[in-house]
Amino acid sequence: MAQLIDGKQLSDAVVASLAEETSQFAAEFGLLPGLAVVLVGEDPASQVYVRNKVRQATAAGMRSIEHRLPKETTQQALNSLIETLNQDPEVHGILVQLPLPAHLSEPDIIQLIAVEKDVDGFHPLNVGALASGNGELIPCTPLGCMLMLQQVHDDLSGQHAVVIGRSNIVGKPMAQLLLQANCTVTVVHSRTRNIEAICREADIVIAAVGRPEMVKSSWIKPGATVIDVGINAIEREGKRKLVGDVDYQSVSDIAGSISPVPGGVGPMTIACLLKNTMKAALLQQTA
Ligand code: NDP
């Protein structure tokens, strides 16, 4: 049976250690690290994510400022809020919960966020910095996956890592972080041929696809490490349930270690958002 990589437990430890850093920060600079969370509309999943982010920011002793805007909010009104937050010295991190309603431009909003407050790490300048190996604010989900991998690998050098998915928010930055950690990286996607055989060669599999339980035990080399990023709501036996992109039941019989869903990458993503907020606050106060 595979070793569990417990994202909930690890994220609690990260948040506890951030709470100590927050008090040191407050003592030194006379203010708290501040995170502004912007939610446009009433998407139920986004509301849950925002609530969890705000709750965890509070647990880390940070100041969190929530901006809930109606779904009819215009681009101009959203731009104007972002510009105000960019100028506010008590706001060190700005997170705009995605997806935005269809009439709003996500690229425009992401570009408008001040680079040094972009705690999601999605601004093109932060994306470029990560690609060139100088990233400061790194996308939270892949950063969380790296911390989880460090729980079971002292050194990732030479490991063959297969990343399933090539999105801008997970797959691509994940591949870059693994490359920086000296892994040999293969990225597979919807046009890749024979994904199963490629995954079977991997020492590490990161699944970020959005397809419930797609990765089966026959895809996994015995002893491999499996990190499941997927969050998929399904109906099973008349009940709504969250499952990952990995068939946890069968894969945990063959993998060396595996992260669960829920309680895996999800909580680590939030912990890393707060880590980025602390980093952004320190960079801004010492600039
Ligand atoms: P996207 O939909 O943006 O990307 C999915 C990727 O998977 C694409 O690159 C796509 O390929 C690839 N893909 C789709 N179908 C297949 C297939 N059958 N075989 C191989 N590759 C396939 O999703 P995200 O990256 O945003 O998210 C992925 C999953 O992670 C989702 O379940 C999401 O909910 C979850 N997630 C979880 C987070 C967390 O905190 N735990 C945070 C962010 C996301 P192509 O590019 O060719 O279309």
Side-chain angles (χ1 to χ4, degrees):
M1 194 71 182
Q3 179 187 343
L4 181 77
I5 309 175
D6 187 335
K8 175 73 180 75
Q9 196 178 57
L10 182 56
S11 71
D12 286 347
V14 171
V15 171
S17 130
L18 281 171
E20 283 176 27
E21 285 184 52
T22 298
S23 1
Q24 284 164 18
F25 182 95
E28 194 169 346
F29 301 110
L31 82 172
L32 292 172
L35 172 67
V37 181
V38 180
L39 173 63
V40 186
E42 286 100 38
D43 177 65
S46 294
Q47 286 183 340
V48 173
Y49 294 144
V50 163
R51 202 179 315 132
N52 289 339
K53 286 169 185 175
V54 169
R55 189 186 301 144
Q56 289 296 81
T58 309
M62 296 179 177
R63 177 169 171 265
S64 67
I65 313 106
E66 228 179 305
H67 293 269
R68 287 176 179 262
L69 306 178
K71 63 174 184 306
E72 308 74 35
T73 301
T74 62
Q75 184 84 45
Q76 203 185 6
L78 186 55
N79 289 357
S80 145
L81 172 62
I82 300 298
E83 276 158 3
T84 305
L85 296 172
N86 281 345
Q87 299 302 321
D88 186 339
E90 294 192 356
V91 171
H92 301 99
I94 302 171
L95 176 135
V96 178
Q97 185 65 44
L98 302 179
L100 289 171
H103 67 282
L104 297 171
S105 160
E106 289 183 359
D108 286 0
I109 287 299
I110 289 168
Q111 289 211 39
L112 196 61
I113 296 173
V115 183
E116 68 279 10
K117 297 191 179 187
D118 167 41
V119 282
D120 254 339
F122 295 162
H123 190 288
L125 289 178
N126 282 325
V127 173
L130 174 62
S132 55
N134 304 313
E136 292 280 11
L137 297 175
I138 290 163
C140 309
T141 299
L143 185 58
C145 293
M146 291 305 286
L147 296 182
M148 293 171 91
L149 286 174
Q150 284 161 14
Q151 294 293 297
V152 286
H153 293 271
D154 292 335
D155 182 6
L156 291 169
S157 292
Q159 301 279 333
H160 181 202
V162 171
V163 180
I164 317 177
R166 55 173 166 177
S167 71
N168 288 338
I169 64 168
V170 190
K172 282 183 200 155
M174 187 74 242
Q176 279 158 349
L177 289 174
L178 289 163
L179 201 53
Q180 280 168 28
N182 299 319
C183 289
T184 302
V185 183
T186 306
V187 180
V188 299
H189 47 79
S190 68
R191 309 295 174 88
T192 302
R193 290 190 208 118
N194 211 352
I195 290 191
E196 181 174 342
I198 296 170
C199 286
R200 224 174 10 243
E201 297 285 308
D203 303 306
I204 295 168
V205 173
I206 313 277
V209 197
R211 303 260 181 264
E213 300 174 336
M214 183 178 93
V215 177
K216 307 290 181 199
S217 58
S218 60
W219 295 36
I220 301 299
K221 179 165 83 176
T225 301
V226 179
I227 303 282
D228 190 353
V229 180
I231 302 180
N232 309 289
I234 60 159
E235 285 277 333
R236 185 168 286 160
E237 291 155 9
K239 286 196 190 124
R240 192 176 172 276
K241 204 174 175 257
L242 285 186
V243 298
D245 292 339
V246 174
D247 180 1
Y248 185 87
Q249 219 57 37
S250 71
V251 171
S252 56
D253 282 341
I254 188 153
S257 47
I258 184 167
S259 71
V261 177
V265 177
M268 284 307 294
T269 296
I270 299 182
C272 288
L273 169 70
L274 303 181
K275 265 178 101 62
N276 277 349
T277 303
M278 176 58 77
K279 189 180 236 184
L282 283 168
L283 289 170
Q284 284 159 58
Q285 290 303 127
T286 53

